Amino acid sequence: MSFDWEFSVIEWSIIILVIFAWYIHDKYVQRKHQLLVNYPIIGRLRFVLEEAREPFRQYFGDEKFYESKDKLDWLNKACRDLPNYASFSPSQPLPYPKFMIRHANIVLNEEEVEGGFEVTFGPRRKKPFISKSIIGRSAMSDGSISPEGTRAFAKGALEGQFPINTGEGSVTSNFFVTHQNYKADYMKVVHGTNFEKKIKDIVQFFFNGAVAADVYRKLVFGKDPEAETYIFDLQSSLFHRINWDAPLESFPKEVPTDLPDITFQISSGLYGARDKNGKFDPVRYEKVMRFCRMTEIKMAQGAKQTGGKLAGHKVTPAIAYYRGVEAYKDVFSPNRFPYANTIEELFDFIGQLQQISEKPVGVKIVISDLDNIEPYAKEIKKRIDEGKDSYPDYIAIDGGSGGSATAPIETMERVGLDIKDSIYLVDKVLREYGVRDKINLVASGKVLTPDDVIIIMSLGADFIQIARGFMMSAGCIRARYCSGTTGHDCPVGLATQNKSKRKKYFVHKQAKKVANYHKNLLKSVKGMLAIMGVKNVSQLNKHRIMFIDKDAKVYDNMDDVFKRKLKIGRDLEDEYHEHG
């Protein structure tokens, strides 16, 4: 094949005329970009390169955001269930300072390590939650994540047998994608006509199930703005969603076995547990908890200590239905949780939720200093001494780094300690107050690989929540377009409400990758326990690890390490303390 690149005089004249007009426009007409006045046409190359920087930055040079590119390569292989070995040496060795594990002189074979990774939350509750894994997917709201993305995570969590946190967007229909053994008493079920079903079958024959389901939904619901709040079951050809208006007695007494283990997160917006006036609705909360294992009250998040933020273009009619808000308007939650004006009021509200649900209730916080955890420890001890059990069953600690789809950049790296510092400090304070055995500690923040899990659990965590790792296992390419406020949408359809993008997301394929990632995390954690000579993950503690500082000095006492790292005492001159 050959191409004739010769142009006629007329064609050359048109090209030159277009370039000249473009030059005149940039230099003498437009007044939007200063650069183009001095550098017409060629100045636009700057904007092209700026556009390319974010989506392509990860492909060139060493990894800057995480410890090394090798960790990302491990994740990508793990979610594809590929052998995860390296040859010769790491492509990007871990930088100092870094934590190291202590290996045993007489190591264990992997079959000698106990396979159980159960964690019990709320043993004092009538319905405690026994997690089948030490790892769960951290909070991600349906709305911030696309409907298809939420379905992939729900499917992956059920297959992988690990918990999934709803995020503040509440329990939406997409979390029920695996729920088929339901009773019509608490469901709204919609049938299509025989003609509509026949059209669906024809489309499925020529294309695929996803296209057929989309066509069928349009035929059945027409222009109903709430059409996407219904889950479609391809086998039965039925649409269904939870009927929250059904009486409480219609809802299942126990969590259905065809649902993943769901943690319901309540934020300051109270989405999913509020009435029409935005106040807490105990009946609606009890209905939600018929499908969830425990509750998490979100007081703060590492990436944003402000209230949750969902840009208006992401508030589709379906999201508006789930949250009880107006469609296509910004949903910015209040900064302060409405029932937590004091620690005492917060604990009383926790007690109310524990009484209603009969299940564990925890609180999610971020740590900057002792004053972020000591009031919790004091109130827990006080209530235990008084014989009360209205205090958190667990405390979730979020690292102070970025990671949210929508957060103020000025807070991402300026508020909150790193998760390793935070979990050590919280564990230490709870032990000093003698209440550590009453509370589970959950940790999250830049956890990607099994060595991260081992280090953080050795520093005091009982359970790990992962957001970014699961996002990448579900197809995220880190383009950093999650918020949609940059004029771009998530290119893979995972973190966008743009139908043209998200409708092409491979739900079943990505669900499998999510399950694989979790499976290989646990498999490799077990392998690391073996070389440490540890039979059970519960035996991990701060004596199992070491620390190398930036000058390559090695420390084997974590208390000494954190005395050097955390020079945190009590700033008695601040406004939070009384002066005697």
Side-chain angles (χ1 to χ4, degrees):
M1 179 181 290
S2 62
F3 296 93
D4 184 3
W5 293 101
E6 295 184 4
F7 293 93
S8 68
V9 174
I10 295 177
E11 289 169 331
W12 274 115
S13 299
I14 292 174
I15 292 172
I16 292 172
L17 184 63
V18 169
I19 293 175
F20 180 72
W22 191 0
Y23 177 92
I24 294 298
H25 173 271
D26 282 358
K27 191 171 185 69
Y28 299 108
V29 178
Q30 70 85 27
R31 284 299 179 267
K32 184 177 181 181
H33 299 291
Q34 177 69 62
L35 180 68
L36 297 182
V37 176
N38 292 325
Y39 299 94
I41 303 178
I42 196 173
R44 292 182 180 271
L45 183 61
R46 179 183 190 278
F47 307 117
V48 174
L49 295 176
E50 276 286 319
E51 286 295 317
R53 182 172 187 262
E54 285 305 321
F56 289 102
R57 66 188 168 84
Q58 60 184 300
Y59 306 116
F60 305 101
D62 288 340
E63 174 62 31
K64 299 297 185 184
F65 191 66
Y66 296 101
E67 288 179 297
S68 77
K69 178 67 164 57
D70 297 288
K71 296 174 79 70
L72 299 175
D73 292 340
W74 186 96
L75 189 157
N76 289 327
K77 289 181 180 178
C79 67
R80 291 169 173 80
D81 210 15
L82 298 174
N84 228 322
Y85 303 104
S87 299
F88 195 65
S89 65
S91 62
Q92 187 182 352
L94 297 177
Y96 295 149
K98 65 180 178 180
F99 288 89
M100 303 286 288
I101 68 167
R102 291 186 178 189
H103 73 279
N105 283 337
I106 308 299
V107 299
L108 302 176
N109 292 319
E110 288 193 26
E111 60 268 20
E112 295 178 283
V113 178
E114 296 176 9
F117 287 98
E118 293 84 7
V119 180
T120 300
F121 291 88
R124 302 178 301 279
R125 305 301 153 208
K126 185 175 181 180
K127 297 178 180 179
F129 170 45
I130 302 176
S131 169
K132 304 177 187 69
S133 175
I134 55 172
I135 295 168
R137 195 212 71 172
S138 193
M140 297 183 203
S141 298
D142 195 350
S144 178
I145 301 298
S146 69
E148 290 75 13
T150 301
R151 291 173 208 159
F153 282 124
K155 284 176 173 286
L158 181 63
E159 179 181 342
Q161 296 293 285
F162 61 86
I164 182 172
N165 190 308
T166 65
E168 67 176 272
S170 80
V171 180
T172 69
S173 299
N174 297 302
F175 287 95
F176 294 92
V177 66
T178 59
H179 188 34
Q180 296 178 333
N181 300 320
Y182 56 81
K183 293 183 179 180
D185 294 353
Y186 61 86
M187 281 286 187
K188 284 186 177 181
V189 181
V190 177
H191 303 257
T193 65
N194 290 332
F195 174 75
E196 291 165 343
K197 291 178 182 178
K198 182 60 67 177
I199 296 295
K200 172 188 67 67
D201 293 339
I202 292 172
V203 174
Q204 186 175 353
F205 177 81
F206 285 103
F207 297 96
N208 57 57
V211 174
D214 191 36
V215 170
Y216 188 47
R217 187 185 299 271
K218 291 176 181 177
L219 289 172
V220 173
F221 289 98
K223 295 184 179 180
D224 186 346
E226 295 182 3
E228 289 196 331
T229 62
Y230 289 85
I231 289 295
F232 176 61
D233 181 0
L234 191 61
Q235 293 181 341
S236 65
S237 295
L238 295 177
F239 293 94
H240 61 272
R241 77 178 184 192
I242 300 293
N243 179 13
W244 297 113
D245 293 326
L248 180 62
E249 53 269 21
S250 299
F251 286 77
K253 298 293 187 293
E254 300 294 334
V255 177
T257 56
D258 59 359
L259 284 177
D261 291 333
I262 301 173
T263 297
F264 174 46
Q265 187 184 82
I266 300 181
S267 73
S268 59
L270 303 175
Y271 307 118
R274 62 189 236 166
D275 59 23
K276 294 180 180 179
N277 297 316
K279 302 295 184 182
F280 176 67
D281 184 344
V283 176
R284 174 62 186 271
Y285 170 70
E286 187 171 358
K287 290 177 181 178
V288 168
M289 291 309 298
R290 297 293 178 93
F291 304 103
C292 300
R293 299 292 183 178
M294 59 183 186
T295 303
E296 178 180 279
I297 297 176
K298 176 183 170 184
M299 295 290 287
Q301 177 182 330
K304 53 174 181 279
Q305 289 69 37
T306 60
K309 301 182 186 304
L310 190 64
H313 67 276
K314 278 193 168 186
V315 186
T316 64
I319 300 303
Y321 165 80
Y322 297 138
R323 299 199 183 195
V325 296
E326 191 173 343
Y328 300 117
K329 287 194 174 182
D330 291 343
V331 178
F332 292 174
S333 302
N335 288 350
R336 186 172 65 253
F337 193 79
Y339 301 99
N341 294 296
T342 63
I343 298 295
E344 293 81 1
E345 183 184 11
L346 171 62
F347 280 26
D348 288 342
F349 185 68
I350 287 173
Q352 183 182 354
L353 299 185
Q354 290 164 335
Q355 187 174 12
I356 294 171
S357 68
E358 301 180 330
K359 297 178 181 180
V361 178
V363 59
K364 181 177 184 178
I365 62 175
V366 173
I367 300 297
S368 288
D369 61 18
L370 285 171
D371 287 324
N372 294 129
I373 184 57
E374 277 203 331
Y376 286 89
K378 286 180 181 179
E379 187 63 21
I380 292 169
K381 178 173 175 52
K382 175 175 176 289
R383 296 198 175 208
I384 289 175
D385 291 345
E386 293 172 349
K388 300 177 182 178
D389 68 350
S390 55
Y391 56 86
D393 294 293
Y394 68 94
I395 297 177
I397 312 296
D398 204 7
S401 61
S404 170
T406 310
I409 188 67
E410 62 271 18
T411 68
M412 278 188 171
E413 294 293 334
R414 295 294 187 182
V415 182
L417 297 176
D418 174 87
I419 186 56
K420 298 180 185 70
D421 298 328
S422 298
I423 206 69
Y424 173 86
L425 187 63
V426 171
D427 178 74
K428 180 174 181 291
V429 169
L430 292 179
R431 290 185 187 281
E432 288 175 351
Y433 279 84
V435 298
R436 177 64 180 89
D437 61 330
K438 304 294 184 181
I439 304 289
N440 286 111
L441 284 187
V442 177
S444 60
K446 283 189 178 180
V447 180
L448 291 184
T449 53
D451 51 308
D452 296 331
V453 175
I454 291 287
I455 296 297
I456 293 175
M457 295 196 75
S458 296
L459 290 172
D462 301 305
F463 186 84
I464 304 293
Q465 290 195 121
I466 299 176
R468 279 172 272 210
F470 275 116
M471 281 288 287
M472 284 184 268
S473 74
C476 169
I477 63 170
R478 300 192 298 149
R480 298 180 69 190
Y481 292 155
C482 312
S483 69
T485 57
T486 62
H488 301 278
D489 294 301
C490 171
V492 299
L494 175 59
T496 180
Q497 297 300 317
N498 184 324
K499 288 187 179 182
S500 67
K501 294 286 194 304
R502 63 180 180 79
K503 288 294 184 182
K504 302 179 182 69
Y505 183 79
F506 297 154
V507 173
H508 299 285
K509 178 182 178 181
Q510 303 296 4
K512 183 65 178 177
K513 289 168 63 179
V514 166
N516 283 340
Y517 173 54
H518 172 264
K519 178 186 73 174
N520 286 305
L521 272 173
L522 290 189
K523 178 182 176 181
S524 294
V525 164
K526 188 176 179 180
M528 294 191 73
L529 293 176
I531 66 172
M532 296 171 77
V534 174
K535 287 191 173 183
N536 190 285
V537 70
S538 63
Q539 295 176 276
L540 291 176
N541 56 53
K542 61 188 178 184
H543 305 294
R544 303 284 185 180
I545 57 177
M546 303 169 68
F547 181 75
I548 304 178
D549 70 14
K550 61 182 178 61
D551 298 318
K553 293 181 180 178
V554 181
Y555 303 90
D556 62 359
N557 186 309
M558 289 300 106
D559 291 326
D560 286 344
V561 168
F562 281 96
K563 281 180 183 177
R564 292 180 175 92
K565 291 184 77 211
L566 294 174
K567 293 185 179 297
I568 294 177
R570 291 168 178 78
D571 182 6
L572 299 180
E573 295 182 1
D574 67 25
E575 68 271 27
Y576 300 110
H577 295 86
E578 295 181 2
H579 305 289

